[in-house]
Amino acid sequence: MNVLNEAEVTFPTLNSCCYQRKDSSLRSLTSDATNRHSGDHFKSHFGTENNVGKVRLIPTTCKHQVPLVFHEPHMERGFRVIGQPWTYYFWSIFQLHNETVNVWTHIMAFGLMASKMVSFSFEVDFVNDSHTWPLLAGLLCGMALYCCSSGAHCLQSRSELVHYTAFMFDYAGIGLYGLGSVIMHLEYCSEDCFYDFAHSVFIPCGCIFAFLICFCCSISKTIYTRPYPFVRKIWQLVPVGGIYVLLISPIVHRLVLCYVYGYDCNESIPYHIQQMFWFASSGFFFTSEYPQKLWPRLCDHFFHSHQLFHISIMICTLKQMDAVFIDFQTRKNLIELRPLPSFWSAFGPVVTVCLAELLCIYGFSKQMKRRLDSKSASH
């Protein structure tokens, strides 16, 4: 296979967990590679990358051969070896390990979100019709969510510092998606009485919550070590729950008007209900350790709760985009009576929060680098 400087990629078969291997020297080498950030000792034996551009995917190992930060509850096998070249982790998406499904579910979600944007573009004018700009902002934020998530799960195993930094970008993507949803729901899904009451504070509050998701989740990632206490979930769930309550409030208002008063029950309502159901499902899988808690080791590669969380979020966002687009089409007369969105009102909050999140990631990443360097020096 000739790709990327004629790199040769070899796909190994999945090895059993390292504690089942009888070759003690292999165990020693794997452990040695784990403890060295560069991974040079491991590469000299396994030929992960050499001067002619060969890339070989190393068999996965068990949790006892990787640092504590990479451990996951009730998972024993399928961990990638740390300290390898970047190319190894990119190519490892074609290898079976405990992040493969996490990566591919959100690569697929990114593609589906992009396809929705393309299909919508055949029906609306994203360039000249400023009423479509909040929709475009929401679609781009959804794509950012999946790009950050799949990238984080793909690359996080390279080193402890990369692990921390990659998931900070993941948190930033979650915040951006929440902000995009706030912008879309206010513009297209709210009733006039709700819009008039909340429009002056709705998006500023969304910006604050979006940044807090990145900030608070980064705090929870850096100050706690495994096994994580439950308070770490509080740090994560409070800002995420806050922005969800905000963004779903115009939908709840619509549902009350529809089912209590029989007002404005258009065809988007079932899609909104479905996206709320799938968001609740994603919350359950994110906060729980099921089903892997019931069947330790059996969910190392498939049906882990985080994989089910990914799938639930993917379905949630796709249902949401369908609902928002239906609202945009069926409520256009109402939407056009509102102030014309400007480029700044649609994309300015996204750019502002994005820059703030990058500064947040930079600060926490520098802090973690100093801590890890100090830890290495002490050893």
Side-chain angles (χ1 to χ4, degrees):
M1 181 185 300
N2 293 323
V3 293
L4 297 176
N5 299 325
E6 297 184 329
E8 176 186 328
V9 181
T10 304
F11 299 96
T13 57
L14 182 66
N15 277 21
S16 59
C17 194
C18 58
Y19 55 70
Q20 294 174 321
R21 296 172 183 164
K22 296 181 180 180
D23 189 342
S24 60
S25 63
L26 176 61
R27 243 186 349 258
S28 174
L29 289 175
T30 308
S31 177
D32 214 15
T34 304
N35 294 327
R36 300 187 185 195
H37 287 288
S38 65
D40 292 336
H41 186 60
F42 194 95
K43 284 185 283 185
S44 67
H45 286 267
F46 286 89
T48 305
E49 185 172 48
N50 57 33
N51 55 4
V52 296
K54 289 186 178 180
V55 179
R56 195 164 293 144
L57 294 181
I58 303 164
T60 58
T61 186
C62 64
K63 72 176 185 179
H64 305 294
Q65 299 296 332
V66 297
L68 182 64
V69 70
F70 298 102
H71 292 193
E72 293 291 343
H74 315 292
M75 294 180 64
E76 299 291 335
R77 304 165 298 162
F79 294 87
R80 288 170 292 175
V81 177
I82 70 168
Q84 302 308 302
W86 289 105
T87 49
Y88 163 71
Y89 300 98
F90 282 110
W91 281 108
S92 71
I93 67 174
F94 300 108
Q95 180 185 24
L96 183 60
H97 50 78
N98 55 25
E99 292 281 25
T100 304
V101 175
N102 288 329
V103 174
W104 277 106
T105 49
H106 279 184
I107 288 177
M108 182 170 65
F110 178 89
L112 291 171
M113 191 71 69
S115 70
K116 282 196 178 295
M117 184 170 70
V118 172
S119 66
F120 293 165
S121 70
F122 290 120
E123 301 183 51
V124 300
D125 186 355
F126 280 129
V127 177
N128 299 310
D129 184 0
S130 61
H131 283 293
T132 66
W133 290 348
L135 175 62
L136 181 59
L139 287 164
L140 292 174
C141 287
M143 292 169 66
L145 164 69
Y146 292 126
C147 182
C148 292
S149 175
S150 57
H153 286 283
C154 176
L155 302 175
Q156 59 93 12
S157 295
R158 188 170 194 266
S159 70
E160 293 186 61
L161 180 60
V162 172
H163 173 89
Y164 284 109
T165 306
F167 281 112
M168 291 175 198
F169 275 100
D170 193 12
Y171 306 145
I174 296 170
L176 286 177
Y177 163 69
L179 177 59
S181 299
V182 166
I183 294 170
M184 290 189 301
H185 287 186
L186 177 66
E187 187 67 28
Y188 305 127
C189 307
S190 62
E191 292 295 338
D192 278 341
C193 56
F194 186 97
Y195 182 90
D196 293 338
F197 172 77
H199 78 276
S200 62
V201 297
F202 203 73
I203 292 178
C205 287
C207 292
I208 293 170
F209 277 120
F211 174 76
L212 285 177
I213 288 173
C214 182
F215 182 76
C216 293
C217 289
S218 296
I219 288 178
S220 74
K221 187 69 178 174
T222 55
I223 67 175
Y224 298 109
T225 57
R226 295 185 186 275
Y228 293 131
F230 182 76
V231 68
R232 180 176 181 265
K233 291 287 186 187
I234 302 299
W235 276 97
Q236 296 174 318
L237 293 176
V238 167
V240 173
I243 202 169
Y244 188 74
V245 169
L246 181 70
L247 68 88
I248 207 65
S249 56
I251 309 299
V252 173
H253 182 243
R254 286 266 305 282
L255 292 176
V256 170
L257 292 178
C258 174
Y259 288 106
V260 176
Y261 300 102
Y263 175 77
D264 197 17
C265 297
N266 71 356
E267 52 266 40
S268 70
I269 295 296
Y271 289 93
H272 284 304
I273 294 173
Q274 290 175 58
Q275 69 107 338
M276 293 170 69
F277 168 80
W278 284 108
F279 184 84
S281 299
S282 71
F284 169 78
F285 288 119
F286 180 79
T287 56
S288 72
E289 297 177 359
Y290 294 99
Q292 68 271 19
K293 191 172 185 177
L294 300 176
W295 302 291
R297 297 188 63 205
L298 294 182
C299 300
D300 287 350
H301 299 99
F302 299 103
F303 304 111
H304 186 273
S305 62
H306 199 81
Q307 297 169 357
L308 300 177
F309 160 71
H310 272 215
I311 294 170
S312 298
I313 281 292
M314 176 178 66
I315 299 173
C316 169
T317 57
L318 294 175
K319 294 294 183 182
Q320 177 200 27
M321 292 304 170
D322 287 336
V324 169
F325 193 65
I326 291 171
D327 280 335
F328 173 78
Q329 290 181 310
T330 59
R331 309 174 82 232
K332 202 164 186 177
N333 292 336
L334 182 150
I335 293 168
E336 289 177 347
L337 294 175
R338 295 175 179 175
L340 193 67
S342 65
F343 190 84
W344 173 253
S345 68
F347 298 102
V350 176
V351 173
T352 301
V353 169
C354 188
L355 292 175
E357 288 178 333
L358 288 174
L359 288 174
C360 177
I361 293 169
Y362 177 79
F364 278 106
S365 182
K366 293 286 285 185
Q367 177 189 358
M368 285 309 305
K369 187 177 187 304
R370 287 193 296 269
R371 185 184 303 179
L372 292 171
D373 288 344
S374 176
K375 178 182 174 182
S376 298
S378 65
H379 290 317

